[in-house]
Amino acid sequence: MARTRPTRAETRRQVLDAAFEVFGQRGIAATSLTEVAAAAGLTKGAVYSNFDSKDELVLTLMEEHAGHRIQASLDAVDADGGADVFGQVAAVLVREMRADAVWHRLLAEYFALAHHDPRKQKALQGRRREVRATVARALVQVSEGLGFALPMPADDLAIVFLALSNGMAVESDIDPGGVPDDLLARVLTLIAGDAVVALREAAARASVD
Amino acid sequence: MARTRPTRAETRRQVLDAAFEVFGQRGIAATSLTEVAAAAGLTKGAVYSNFDSKDELVLTLMEEHAGHRIQASLDAVDADGGADVFGQVAAVLVREMRADAVWHRLLAEYFALAHHDPRKQKALQGRRREVRATVARALVQVSEGLGFALPMPADDLAIVFLALSNGMAVESDIDPGGVPDDLLARVLTLIAGDAVVALREAAARASVD
DNA sequence: CAAGGTCGATACTACTCGGTATCCAATACT
DNA sequence: AGTATTGGATACCGAGTAGTATCGACCTTG
């Protein structure tokens, strides 16, 4: 006979997915656990059976989702080994920025929330350092692979990268349509400087040949 | 006889100032009106006598403070008519970024909050457009005054400007010490390109003479 | 200087939330 | 199959919230 009862892992997933959706729509603080449970087709008891507290749920959710996002972005970057890397990367970022407006909003609230909770603050800081390091590594890899020098230390550039994409996501969410799609690409090109412009032109010529 | 009772305006100010302080420390959602009132040396009755609701208080507070900040930033930029404008501006921004970490955190929470309240959303959007337009105007003025071309349309550059400073403020708040002080200046120089580099060197020579 | 009005304190209501205790049913084990 | 265990539903509690009614003190005005 087929099992009539879902496994613990399945229930946990349901709760996490529902939480992300409802938190994203109504905000973390404004959403009660009852609402989360209802969205998952369960009750508060199920939530407390899987998570020790609301904070625990939020923390787990943010950690997990952040991890997924890093991986997705890295895959997207790794996938195209082409020459017009900055353009490609910018395109990927813009696409994700639009699609994951919800995520950026959640992150903003979590950022505000974290400042009053040492545990969340620590988690956020650790995760952010990891993200920065990963981005920096990717930048080095790309620059070496294509043979051009980065305009500043990779660590610093990673910060700029993240700040810019995050900031533009916020601007774009506040005023949809007010942020041109290709703006991020243009800025990145300016920052990268002449080296990449030459590189891009060379790639364009090569693809024509 | 001197008045023993403060005017309505005075009380209102007290509430608003206290609200900014307490909201900044503990977060908007996490702060009760009783706490706000207590911080102002008053009671909840005083708050409700001056504001129709908590939302009303928050809205007024953000609107007012945002206005003040625009003015302050503009004044700071206007004040120095020197040649090394980008460096100066970056310095001002960095200083304000550090000092007003509280403000950025409040804005982040408000940004998340606004998405679920059409009224706040509209207010935030309108205010943001105003800020962008003001920054764009300042950029045009500076570039014309110094006789160099902006690397992209002023409106777009304003967005980049805001996204970058806002994003870096967040990064800096998450991981204090992880963001070099001069990073913003370096990025702005890269974005501005050779024109400003030349300009800056010219200014340096001039100041030595 | 009295009358009327305003402002803010006090006390209270109605409600929601996070979290807990308990209990029942479905599962795993022997 | 019978038993132990686990997962989730239900009911409940204490705390704390926004918001309201009321009342007294103070200011203003005729």
Side-chain angles (χ1 to χ4, degrees):
Chain A
M1 176 180 170
R3 58 182 309 119
T4 70
R5 193 183 194 178
T7 67
R8 192 161 188 73
E10 285 170 351
T11 304
R12 210 181 143 91
R13 263 263 62 77
Q14 275 186 353
V15 172
L16 281 171
D17 291 345
F20 180 76
E21 185 149 341
V22 184
F23 282 158
Q25 279 171 4
R26 315 171 51 133
I28 298 174
T31 303
S32 71
L33 284 191
T34 306
E35 284 171 317
V36 172
L42 298 166
T43 63
K44 208 166 54 165
V47 176
Y48 272 102
S49 173
N50 283 278
F51 301 92
D52 287 344
S53 66
K54 186 183 184 181
D55 272 358
E56 196 65 36
L57 169 62
V58 171
L59 207 60
T60 307
L61 180 68
M62 300 298 287
E63 284 283 303
E64 190 193 53
H65 212 82
H68 285 170
R69 272 196 60 82
I70 299 178
Q71 198 52 52
S73 297
L74 270 189
D75 289 350
V77 172
D78 278 352
D80 69 73
D84 186 11
V85 187
F86 269 70
Q88 298 268 17
V89 169
V92 168
L93 286 180
V94 167
R95 192 165 4 108
E96 294 205 336
M97 192 194 309
R98 306 271 189 214
D100 263 357
V102 175
W103 170 247
H104 277 100
R105 227 178 306 124
L106 267 184
L107 204 62
E109 187 176 356
Y110 190 74
F111 160 66
L113 227 62
H115 205 264
H116 319 293
D117 181 339
R119 184 135 154 272
K120 293 205 194 82
Q121 196 175 6
K122 208 171 171 57
L124 185 59
Q125 192 178 87
R127 181 60 79 178
R128 203 60 183 172
R129 283 187 181 150
E130 190 182 323
V131 174
R132 278 186 202 156
T134 306
V135 171
R137 233 179 298 123
L139 285 173
V140 169
Q141 188 182 328
V142 166
S143 74
E144 285 180 351
L146 296 178
F148 71 94
L150 292 174
M152 63 172 70
D155 289 337
D156 292 346
L157 197 57
I159 294 176
V160 172
F161 214 82
L162 289 169
L164 202 52
S165 71
N166 202 0
M168 283 188 56
V170 170
E171 297 293 333
S172 175
D173 195 20
I174 291 179
D175 191 5
V179 180
D181 278 349
D182 65 333
L183 184 52
L184 184 55
R186 272 187 279 152
V187 179
L188 290 181
T189 302
L190 280 176
I191 293 179
D194 303 327
V196 166
V197 173
L199 210 68
R200 179 180 285 181
E201 284 167 357
R205 275 196 304 274
S207 70
V208 169
D209 293 349
Chain B
M1 175 180 168
R3 58 183 309 119
T4 70
R5 192 184 193 175
T7 68
R8 190 161 190 73
E10 283 171 351
T11 304
R12 209 180 144 91
R13 263 263 62 78
Q14 275 186 353
V15 172
L16 281 171
D17 290 346
F20 179 78
E21 186 149 341
V22 183
F23 282 158
Q25 280 171 3
R26 320 182 34 144
I28 297 174
T31 303
S32 71
L33 285 191
T34 306
E35 283 171 318
V36 172
L42 299 166
T43 64
K44 209 166 52 164
V47 176
Y48 273 103
S49 173
N50 284 278
F51 301 92
D52 286 344
S53 66
K54 186 182 182 181
D55 271 358
E56 196 64 37
L57 169 62
V58 171
L59 205 60
T60 308
L61 180 67
M62 300 299 286
E63 283 285 301
E64 189 195 51
H65 212 82
H68 284 170
R69 272 195 59 82
I70 301 178
Q71 199 51 53
S73 297
L74 271 190
D75 289 350
V77 172
D78 277 352
D80 69 72
D84 186 11
V85 187
F86 268 69
Q88 297 267 17
V89 168
V92 168
L93 285 180
V94 167
R95 190 164 6 109
E96 294 205 337
M97 192 195 309
R98 306 272 189 213
D100 264 356
V102 175
W103 170 246
H104 277 100
R105 228 178 306 123
L106 267 184
L107 205 61
E109 188 175 356
Y110 189 72
F111 160 65
L113 226 64
H115 204 265
H116 320 295
D117 181 339
R119 187 137 151 270
K120 293 204 194 83
Q121 196 174 7
K122 206 169 170 57
L124 185 59
Q125 191 178 89
R127 181 61 79 179
R128 202 60 183 173
R129 283 186 183 152
E130 189 182 324
V131 174
R132 278 185 202 154
T134 306
V135 171
R137 230 179 300 122
L139 285 172
V140 168
Q141 187 182 330
V142 165
S143 73
E144 284 180 351
L146 295 178
F148 70 94
L150 292 175
M152 63 172 70
D155 289 337
D156 292 346
L157 197 57
I159 295 176
V160 172
F161 214 81
L162 289 169
L164 202 53
S165 72
N166 202 1
M168 283 188 55
V170 170
E171 297 294 331
S172 175
D173 195 20
I174 292 178
D175 191 4
V179 180
D181 278 348
D182 64 334
L183 185 52
L184 184 55
R186 272 187 279 152
V187 179
L188 289 181
T189 303
L190 281 176
I191 292 179
D194 303 327
V196 166
V197 173
L199 211 68
R200 179 179 284 181
E201 284 167 358
R205 276 196 303 275
S207 71
V208 169
D209 293 349

mmCIF file of all heavy atoms in Angstrom, chain A residues 86-87 151-152 157 160 164 182-197 200, chain B residues 86 149-153 156-157 160 186-195:
data_model
loop_
_atom_site.group_PDB
_atom_site.id
_atom_site.type_symbol
_atom_site.label_atom_id
_atom_site.label_comp_id
_atom_site.label_asym_id
_atom_site.label_seq_id
_atom_site.Cartn_x
_atom_site.Cartn_y
_atom_site.Cartn_z
ATOM 1 N N PHE A 86 31.692 39.911 -19.695
ATOM 2 C CA PHE A 86 31.011 40.948 -18.920
ATOM 3 C C PHE A 86 29.586 41.156 -19.402
ATOM 4 O O PHE A 86 28.663 41.288 -18.609
ATOM 5 C CB PHE A 86 31.805 42.262 -18.990
ATOM 6 C CG PHE A 86 32.795 42.378 -17.881
ATOM 7 C CD1 PHE A 86 33.922 41.564 -17.850
ATOM 8 C CD2 PHE A 86 32.594 43.272 -16.850
ATOM 9 C CE1 PHE A 86 34.828 41.654 -16.819
ATOM 10 C CE2 PHE A 86 33.504 43.367 -15.808
ATOM 11 C CZ PHE A 86 34.622 42.559 -15.799
ATOM 12 N N GLY A 87 29.441 41.173 -20.705
ATOM 13 C CA GLY A 87 28.092 41.321 -21.241
ATOM 14 C C GLY A 87 27.202 40.177 -20.814
ATOM 15 O O GLY A 87 26.081 40.379 -20.358
ATOM 16 N N PRO A 151 40.634 45.796 -13.057
ATOM 17 C CA PRO A 151 40.916 47.217 -12.792
ATOM 18 C C PRO A 151 41.198 47.510 -11.321
ATOM 19 O O PRO A 151 41.623 48.608 -10.987
ATOM 20 C CB PRO A 151 39.646 47.915 -13.261
ATOM 21 C CG PRO A 151 38.582 46.877 -13.147
ATOM 22 C CD PRO A 151 39.243 45.566 -13.438
ATOM 23 N N MET A 152 40.933 46.539 -10.448
ATOM 24 C CA MET A 152 41.266 46.702 -9.026
ATOM 25 C C MET A 152 41.310 45.310 -8.415
ATOM 26 O O MET A 152 40.908 44.333 -9.060
ATOM 27 C CB MET A 152 40.230 47.590 -8.322
ATOM 28 C CG MET A 152 38.830 47.014 -8.302
ATOM 29 S SD MET A 152 37.709 47.994 -7.274
ATOM 30 C CE MET A 152 37.537 49.473 -8.257
ATOM 31 N N LEU A 157 36.631 44.451 -6.142
ATOM 32 C CA LEU A 157 35.741 44.441 -7.294
ATOM 33 C C LEU A 157 34.492 43.612 -7.002
ATOM 34 O O LEU A 157 33.388 43.936 -7.450
ATOM 35 C CB LEU A 157 36.472 43.874 -8.515
ATOM 36 C CG LEU A 157 35.827 44.174 -9.868
ATOM 37 C CD1 LEU A 157 35.664 45.669 -10.073
ATOM 38 C CD2 LEU A 157 36.633 43.576 -11.017
ATOM 39 N N VAL A 160 32.079 45.761 -5.160
ATOM 40 C CA VAL A 160 31.439 46.689 -6.090
ATOM 41 C C VAL A 160 30.357 45.977 -6.888
ATOM 42 O O VAL A 160 29.232 46.467 -7.038
ATOM 43 C CB VAL A 160 32.485 47.290 -7.051
ATOM 44 C CG1 VAL A 160 31.805 48.108 -8.141
ATOM 45 C CG2 VAL A 160 33.478 48.138 -6.286
ATOM 46 N N LEU A 164 26.501 46.931 -6.552
ATOM 47 C CA LEU A 164 25.859 47.475 -7.744
ATOM 48 C C LEU A 164 24.632 46.667 -8.138
ATOM 49 O O LEU A 164 23.546 47.219 -8.378
ATOM 50 C CB LEU A 164 26.866 47.487 -8.893
ATOM 51 C CG LEU A 164 26.605 48.445 -10.046
ATOM 52 C CD1 LEU A 164 26.375 49.854 -9.530
ATOM 53 C CD2 LEU A 164 27.779 48.437 -11.014
ATOM 54 N N ASP A 182 19.921 47.465 -20.016
ATOM 55 C CA ASP A 182 21.340 47.310 -20.342
ATOM 56 C C ASP A 182 22.240 48.194 -19.488
ATOM 57 O O ASP A 182 23.443 48.260 -19.715
ATOM 58 C CB ASP A 182 21.564 47.630 -21.823
ATOM 59 C CG ASP A 182 21.248 49.096 -22.103
ATOM 60 O OD1 ASP A 182 20.426 49.673 -21.360
ATOM 61 O OD2 ASP A 182 21.828 49.656 -23.054
ATOM 62 N N LEU A 183 21.653 48.837 -18.499
ATOM 63 C CA LEU A 183 22.439 49.782 -17.700
ATOM 64 C C LEU A 183 23.581 49.092 -16.962
ATOM 65 O O LEU A 183 24.723 49.562 -16.974
ATOM 66 C CB LEU A 183 21.525 50.504 -16.697
ATOM 67 C CG LEU A 183 22.191 51.595 -15.861
ATOM 68 C CD1 LEU A 183 22.932 52.582 -16.753
ATOM 69 C CD2 LEU A 183 21.161 52.328 -15.016
ATOM 70 N N LEU A 184 23.278 47.967 -16.354
ATOM 71 C CA LEU A 184 24.313 47.248 -15.607
ATOM 72 C C LEU A 184 25.474 46.865 -16.521
ATOM 73 O O LEU A 184 26.651 47.034 -16.159
ATOM 74 C CB LEU A 184 23.714 45.996 -14.951
ATOM 75 C CG LEU A 184 24.661 45.199 -14.064
ATOM 76 C CD1 LEU A 184 25.266 46.079 -12.983
ATOM 77 C CD2 LEU A 184 23.945 44.021 -13.420
ATOM 78 N N ALA A 185 25.147 46.390 -17.720
ATOM 79 C CA ALA A 185 26.198 46.018 -18.672
ATOM 80 C C ALA A 185 27.076 47.221 -19.013
ATOM 81 O O ALA A 185 28.300 47.128 -19.069
ATOM 82 C CB ALA A 185 25.577 45.442 -19.940
ATOM 83 N N ARG A 186 26.425 48.367 -19.227
ATOM 84 C CA ARG A 186 27.183 49.567 -19.574
ATOM 85 C C ARG A 186 28.135 49.967 -18.458
ATOM 86 O O ARG A 186 29.308 50.302 -18.693
ATOM 87 C CB ARG A 186 26.204 50.716 -19.863
ATOM 88 C CG ARG A 186 25.752 50.766 -21.314
ATOM 89 C CD ARG A 186 24.927 52.006 -21.562
ATOM 90 N NE ARG A 186 23.538 51.849 -21.129
ATOM 91 C CZ ARG A 186 22.757 52.845 -20.732
ATOM 92 N NH1 ARG A 186 23.221 54.077 -20.689
ATOM 93 N NH2 ARG A 186 21.516 52.619 -20.368
ATOM 94 N N VAL A 187 27.640 49.928 -17.240
ATOM 95 C CA VAL A 187 28.485 50.305 -16.099
ATOM 96 C C VAL A 187 29.656 49.351 -15.967
ATOM 97 O O VAL A 187 30.795 49.767 -15.767
ATOM 98 C CB VAL A 187 27.673 50.297 -14.794
ATOM 99 C CG1 VAL A 187 28.569 50.670 -13.627
ATOM 100 C CG2 VAL A 187 26.518 51.251 -14.885
ATOM 101 N N LEU A 188 29.369 48.079 -16.077
ATOM 102 C CA LEU A 188 30.439 47.093 -15.945
ATOM 103 C C LEU A 188 31.511 47.322 -17.003
ATOM 104 O O LEU A 188 32.708 47.199 -16.728
ATOM 105 C CB LEU A 188 29.872 45.675 -16.048
ATOM 106 C CG LEU A 188 29.029 45.236 -14.850
ATOM 107 C CD1 LEU A 188 28.528 43.815 -15.030
ATOM 108 C CD2 LEU A 188 29.837 45.356 -13.561
ATOM 109 N N THR A 189 31.075 47.655 -18.189
ATOM 110 C CA THR A 189 32.042 47.930 -19.253
ATOM 111 C C THR A 189 32.911 49.130 -18.900
ATOM 112 O O THR A 189 34.130 49.110 -19.069
ATOM 113 C CB THR A 189 31.307 48.212 -20.580
ATOM 114 O OG1 THR A 189 30.494 47.085 -20.906
ATOM 115 C CG2 THR A 189 32.307 48.463 -21.691
ATOM 116 N N LEU A 190 32.267 50.169 -18.383
ATOM 117 C CA LEU A 190 33.015 51.362 -17.987
ATOM 118 C C LEU A 190 34.040 51.008 -16.906
ATOM 119 O O LEU A 190 35.188 51.448 -16.947
ATOM 120 C CB LEU A 190 32.064 52.427 -17.447
ATOM 121 C CG LEU A 190 31.310 53.251 -18.493
ATOM 122 C CD1 LEU A 190 30.343 54.204 -17.797
ATOM 123 C CD2 LEU A 190 32.289 54.027 -19.351
ATOM 124 N N ILE A 191 33.603 50.225 -15.946
ATOM 125 C CA ILE A 191 34.499 49.858 -14.852
ATOM 126 C C ILE A 191 35.646 48.993 -15.362
ATOM 127 O O ILE A 191 36.804 49.163 -14.971
ATOM 128 C CB ILE A 191 33.728 49.098 -13.749
ATOM 129 C CG1 ILE A 191 32.736 50.043 -13.071
ATOM 130 C CG2 ILE A 191 34.686 48.515 -12.722
ATOM 131 C CD1 ILE A 191 31.900 49.395 -11.993
ATOM 132 N N ALA A 192 35.308 48.060 -16.227
ATOM 133 C CA ALA A 192 36.331 47.151 -16.742
ATOM 134 C C ALA A 192 37.378 47.913 -17.549
ATOM 135 O O ALA A 192 38.545 47.532 -17.587
ATOM 136 C CB ALA A 192 35.677 46.078 -17.596
ATOM 137 N N GLY A 193 36.934 48.977 -18.194
ATOM 138 C CA GLY A 193 37.891 49.812 -18.904
ATOM 139 C C GLY A 193 38.189 49.336 -20.311
ATOM 140 O O GLY A 193 37.510 48.472 -20.859
ATOM 141 N N ASP A 194 39.253 49.902 -20.875
ATOM 142 C CA ASP A 194 39.578 49.694 -22.284
ATOM 143 C C ASP A 194 39.886 48.232 -22.607
ATOM 144 O O ASP A 194 39.555 47.742 -23.683
ATOM 145 C CB ASP A 194 40.772 50.563 -22.672
ATOM 146 C CG ASP A 194 40.481 52.029 -22.385
ATOM 147 O OD1 ASP A 194 39.295 52.410 -22.512
ATOM 148 O OD2 ASP A 194 41.405 52.758 -22.022
ATOM 149 N N ALA A 195 40.513 47.564 -21.656
ATOM 150 C CA ALA A 195 40.946 46.193 -21.915
ATOM 151 C C ALA A 195 39.781 45.346 -22.400
ATOM 152 O O ALA A 195 39.872 44.646 -23.417
ATOM 153 C CB ALA A 195 41.552 45.580 -20.653
ATOM 154 N N VAL A 196 38.684 45.449 -21.698
ATOM 155 C CA VAL A 196 37.551 44.614 -22.036
ATOM 156 C C VAL A 196 36.860 45.082 -23.306
ATOM 157 O O VAL A 196 36.346 44.285 -24.086
ATOM 158 C CB VAL A 196 36.552 44.562 -20.862
ATOM 159 C CG1 VAL A 196 35.225 43.996 -21.315
ATOM 160 C CG2 VAL A 196 37.119 43.719 -19.743
ATOM 161 N N VAL A 197 36.884 46.384 -23.511
ATOM 162 C CA VAL A 197 36.302 46.903 -24.741
ATOM 163 C C VAL A 197 37.038 46.309 -25.945
ATOM 164 O O VAL A 197 36.420 45.802 -26.889
ATOM 165 C CB VAL A 197 36.396 48.439 -24.783
ATOM 166 C CG1 VAL A 197 35.942 48.954 -26.137
ATOM 167 C CG2 VAL A 197 35.532 49.045 -23.679
ATOM 168 N N ARG A 200 36.208 42.716 -26.299
ATOM 169 C CA ARG A 200 34.881 42.489 -26.845
ATOM 170 C C ARG A 200 34.881 42.690 -28.363
ATOM 171 O O ARG A 200 34.293 41.904 -29.111
ATOM 172 C CB ARG A 200 33.900 43.450 -26.178
ATOM 173 C CG ARG A 200 32.488 43.316 -26.691
ATOM 174 C CD ARG A 200 31.563 44.277 -26.014
ATOM 175 N NE ARG A 200 31.244 43.856 -24.655
ATOM 176 C CZ ARG A 200 30.420 44.537 -23.854
ATOM 177 N NH1 ARG A 200 29.885 45.653 -24.291
ATOM 178 N NH2 ARG A 200 30.145 44.102 -22.657
ATOM 179 N N PHE B 86 34.770 64.453 -8.100
ATOM 180 C CA PHE B 86 34.408 63.056 -7.845
ATOM 181 C C PHE B 86 34.988 62.569 -6.527
ATOM 182 O O PHE B 86 34.324 61.880 -5.751
ATOM 183 C CB PHE B 86 34.868 62.165 -8.999
ATOM 184 C CG PHE B 86 33.813 61.989 -10.038
ATOM 185 C CD1 PHE B 86 33.440 63.053 -10.845
ATOM 186 C CD2 PHE B 86 33.155 60.782 -10.182
ATOM 187 C CE1 PHE B 86 32.439 62.903 -11.787
ATOM 188 C CE2 PHE B 86 32.157 60.621 -11.133
ATOM 189 C CZ PHE B 86 31.802 61.683 -11.940
ATOM 190 N N ALA B 149 32.647 65.530 -20.425
ATOM 191 C CA ALA B 149 31.410 64.826 -20.776
ATOM 192 C C ALA B 149 31.155 63.686 -19.799
ATOM 193 O O ALA B 149 32.074 62.986 -19.387
ATOM 194 C CB ALA B 149 31.515 64.293 -22.198
ATOM 195 N N LEU B 150 29.899 63.517 -19.463
ATOM 196 C CA LEU B 150 29.527 62.371 -18.630
ATOM 197 C C LEU B 150 29.641 61.097 -19.465
ATOM 198 O O LEU B 150 29.378 61.117 -20.669
ATOM 199 C CB LEU B 150 28.089 62.537 -18.122
ATOM 200 C CG LEU B 150 27.859 63.673 -17.124
ATOM 201 C CD1 LEU B 150 26.377 63.809 -16.802
ATOM 202 C CD2 LEU B 150 28.659 63.450 -15.855
ATOM 203 N N PRO B 151 30.022 60.000 -18.832
ATOM 204 C CA PRO B 151 30.231 58.755 -19.578
ATOM 205 C C PRO B 151 28.924 58.104 -20.033
ATOM 206 O O PRO B 151 28.947 57.152 -20.806
ATOM 207 C CB PRO B 151 30.947 57.852 -18.558
ATOM 208 C CG PRO B 151 30.548 58.395 -17.225
ATOM 209 C CD PRO B 151 30.360 59.863 -17.412
ATOM 210 N N MET B 152 27.804 58.605 -19.549
ATOM 211 C CA MET B 152 26.501 58.109 -20.013
ATOM 212 C C MET B 152 25.448 59.156 -19.641
ATOM 213 O O MET B 152 25.765 60.114 -18.931
ATOM 214 C CB MET B 152 26.169 56.751 -19.371
ATOM 215 C CG MET B 152 26.027 56.796 -17.858
ATOM 216 S SD MET B 152 25.419 55.247 -17.166
ATOM 217 C CE MET B 152 26.817 54.175 -17.426
ATOM 218 N N PRO B 153 24.231 59.012 -20.160
ATOM 219 C CA PRO B 153 23.196 59.999 -19.829
ATOM 220 C C PRO B 153 23.094 60.233 -18.334
ATOM 221 O O PRO B 153 23.213 59.288 -17.539
ATOM 222 C CB PRO B 153 21.915 59.362 -20.377
ATOM 223 C CG PRO B 153 22.381 58.484 -21.487
ATOM 224 C CD PRO B 153 23.735 57.988 -21.088
ATOM 225 N N ASP B 156 20.749 57.998 -16.255
ATOM 226 C CA ASP B 156 21.264 56.651 -15.994
ATOM 227 C C ASP B 156 22.376 56.682 -14.958
ATOM 228 O O ASP B 156 22.437 55.841 -14.057
ATOM 229 C CB ASP B 156 21.787 56.027 -17.296
ATOM 230 C CG ASP B 156 20.657 55.740 -18.267
ATOM 231 O OD1 ASP B 156 19.496 55.776 -17.828
ATOM 232 O OD2 ASP B 156 20.941 55.488 -19.450
ATOM 233 N N LEU B 157 23.232 57.670 -15.103
ATOM 234 C CA LEU B 157 24.359 57.761 -14.176
ATOM 235 C C LEU B 157 23.869 57.996 -12.748
ATOM 236 O O LEU B 157 24.456 57.478 -11.792
ATOM 237 C CB LEU B 157 25.294 58.896 -14.602
ATOM 238 C CG LEU B 157 26.694 58.860 -13.993
ATOM 239 C CD1 LEU B 157 27.375 57.549 -14.303
ATOM 240 C CD2 LEU B 157 27.542 60.023 -14.483
ATOM 241 N N VAL B 160 22.948 54.697 -11.300
ATOM 242 C CA VAL B 160 24.164 53.969 -10.930
ATOM 243 C C VAL B 160 24.725 54.503 -9.622
ATOM 244 O O VAL B 160 25.081 53.744 -8.715
ATOM 245 C CB VAL B 160 25.220 54.081 -12.041
ATOM 246 C CG1 VAL B 160 26.539 53.487 -11.583
ATOM 247 C CG2 VAL B 160 24.726 53.407 -13.302
ATOM 248 N N ARG B 186 37.317 55.086 -5.862
ATOM 249 C CA ARG B 186 38.016 54.383 -6.944
ATOM 250 C C ARG B 186 37.050 53.976 -8.050
ATOM 251 O O ARG B 186 37.331 54.137 -9.242
ATOM 252 C CB ARG B 186 38.706 53.131 -6.376
ATOM 253 C CG ARG B 186 40.106 53.406 -5.852
ATOM 254 C CD ARG B 186 40.801 52.113 -5.467
ATOM 255 N NE ARG B 186 40.394 51.658 -4.138
ATOM 256 C CZ ARG B 186 40.388 50.401 -3.755
ATOM 257 N NH1 ARG B 186 40.738 49.440 -4.607
ATOM 258 N NH2 ARG B 186 40.019 50.055 -2.532
ATOM 259 N N VAL B 187 35.916 53.447 -7.645
ATOM 260 C CA VAL B 187 34.925 53.026 -8.643
ATOM 261 C C VAL B 187 34.430 54.211 -9.448
ATOM 262 O O VAL B 187 34.335 54.142 -10.677
ATOM 263 C CB VAL B 187 33.720 52.336 -7.964
ATOM 264 C CG1 VAL B 187 32.711 51.936 -9.010
ATOM 265 C CG2 VAL B 187 34.176 51.147 -7.181
ATOM 266 N N LEU B 188 34.127 55.282 -8.758
ATOM 267 C CA LEU B 188 33.624 56.462 -9.451
ATOM 268 C C LEU B 188 34.649 56.957 -10.468
ATOM 269 O O LEU B 188 34.304 57.363 -11.574
ATOM 270 C CB LEU B 188 33.284 57.566 -8.448
ATOM 271 C CG LEU B 188 32.049 57.280 -7.599
ATOM 272 C CD1 LEU B 188 31.761 58.436 -6.654
ATOM 273 C CD2 LEU B 188 30.842 57.005 -8.480
ATOM 274 N N THR B 189 35.909 56.908 -10.081
ATOM 275 C CA THR B 189 36.970 57.316 -11.004
ATOM 276 C C THR B 189 36.985 56.413 -12.239
ATOM 277 O O THR B 189 37.085 56.892 -13.376
ATOM 278 C CB THR B 189 38.342 57.251 -10.308
ATOM 279 O OG1 THR B 189 38.315 58.080 -9.152
ATOM 280 C CG2 THR B 189 39.437 57.710 -11.258
ATOM 281 N N LEU B 190 36.872 55.111 -12.008
ATOM 282 C CA LEU B 190 36.844 54.175 -13.131
ATOM 283 C C LEU B 190 35.668 54.479 -14.056
ATOM 284 O O LEU B 190 35.801 54.486 -15.284
ATOM 285 C CB LEU B 190 36.732 52.739 -12.618
ATOM 286 C CG LEU B 190 38.018 52.092 -12.104
ATOM 287 C CD1 LEU B 190 37.732 50.712 -11.544
ATOM 288 C CD2 LEU B 190 39.050 52.017 -13.230
ATOM 289 N N ILE B 191 34.521 54.718 -13.453
ATOM 290 C CA ILE B 191 33.321 54.991 -14.253
ATOM 291 C C ILE B 191 33.478 56.296 -15.021
ATOM 292 O O ILE B 191 33.121 56.397 -16.195
ATOM 293 C CB ILE B 191 32.071 55.046 -13.348
ATOM 294 C CG1 ILE B 191 31.779 53.669 -12.778
ATOM 295 C CG2 ILE B 191 30.868 55.563 -14.123
ATOM 296 C CD1 ILE B 191 30.589 53.618 -11.845
ATOM 297 N N ALA B 192 34.006 57.276 -14.324
ATOM 298 C CA ALA B 192 34.149 58.584 -14.962
ATOM 299 C C ALA B 192 35.129 58.525 -16.125
ATOM 300 O O ALA B 192 34.996 59.270 -17.093
ATOM 301 C CB ALA B 192 34.614 59.604 -13.936
ATOM 302 N N GLY B 193 36.100 57.632 -16.028
ATOM 303 C CA GLY B 193 37.019 57.456 -17.141
ATOM 304 C C GLY B 193 38.178 58.426 -17.150
ATOM 305 O O GLY B 193 38.427 59.137 -16.179
ATOM 306 N N ASP B 194 38.862 58.467 -18.296
ATOM 307 C CA ASP B 194 40.115 59.206 -18.404
ATOM 308 C C ASP B 194 39.931 60.704 -18.204
ATOM 309 O O ASP B 194 40.795 61.375 -17.663
ATOM 310 C CB ASP B 194 40.737 58.944 -19.788
ATOM 311 C CG ASP B 194 40.951 57.452 -20.000
ATOM 312 O OD1 ASP B 194 41.233 56.763 -19.004
ATOM 313 O OD2 ASP B 194 40.823 56.993 -21.144
ATOM 314 N N ALA B 195 38.792 61.198 -18.661
ATOM 315 C CA ALA B 195 38.568 62.639 -18.606
ATOM 316 C C ALA B 195 38.784 63.160 -17.187
ATOM 317 O O ALA B 195 39.520 64.130 -16.968
ATOM 318 C CB ALA B 195 37.149 62.969 -19.065
#
